[in-house]
Amino acid sequence: MICWRIKKQNSYANSKSWREKIYSGTYHFPRDFRFSDLVVSVFHRDYNTVSTTFSEMEGITLERYIMEYRLRRVQELLVYSNDTQSAIACKLGYSSSAHLSRQFKAHSGFSLSHFKNIRQAKLLLTHRTDIYRSLMYTINRL
């Protein structure tokens, strides 16, 4: 019983590390990529076994977990990178930017442009802060 639990925990940890590697933005997705096929080839186990183990450990299905992780990565890339919507879709394995846009809107309730606007506001605030600091430095030198 203990041995089975350790094996389950190792499978769980491995599935999370593979998720991070694949959706880091540097993985080159083969045509018609399916995460489930990768899980089978990496773990040498039936996908349902790995998925069930993951669900028991995490309290959420592996599919849902991957989808939510990808959507968080989309948000991060929209706010903190200069990548276009098409580049983000490609980096994260979406079949098209339209597919990304539909899934993002359906699950977050926000459009992709909402997060691009956050990036623009962040850049504007950073620029204003830099101007303020420069002005304060000049005033203090007088």
Side-chain angles (χ1 to χ4, degrees), residues 17-64:
S17 68
W18 273 97
R19 173 220 58 195
E20 291 166 2
K21 179 180 178 182
I22 292 166
Y23 297 113
S24 66
T26 59
Y27 183 81
H28 297 288
F29 290 91
R31 190 172 190 83
D32 300 324
F33 172 81
R34 290 176 41 146
F35 188 78
S36 58
D37 294 338
L38 180 67
V39 167
V40 169
S41 69
V42 169
F43 295 105
H44 307 290
R45 289 193 172 91
D46 176 71
Y47 178 77
N48 289 332
T49 302
V50 176
S51 183
T52 300
T53 301
F54 186 90
S55 295
E56 289 172 0
M57 302 296 285
E58 191 69 25
I60 187 173
T61 65
L62 183 56
E63 295 84 2
R64 179 85 179 171

Side-chain angles (χ1 to χ4, degrees), residues 81-126:
S81 77
N82 291 322
D83 292 341
T84 65
Q85 180 177 327
S86 295
I88 292 170
C90 183
K91 278 184 177 182
L92 298 180
Y94 287 93
S95 58
S96 67
S97 60
H99 175 226
L100 164 61
S101 183
R102 281 191 308 274
Q103 189 178 65
F104 191 83
K105 177 75 173 175
H107 292 280
S108 73
F110 294 102
S111 67
L112 294 172
S113 61
H114 173 78
F115 284 89
K116 278 290 189 188
N117 291 340
I118 290 173
R119 176 176 171 66
Q120 292 303 319
K122 182 177 143 301
L123 291 173
L124 182 61
L125 282 173
T126 301

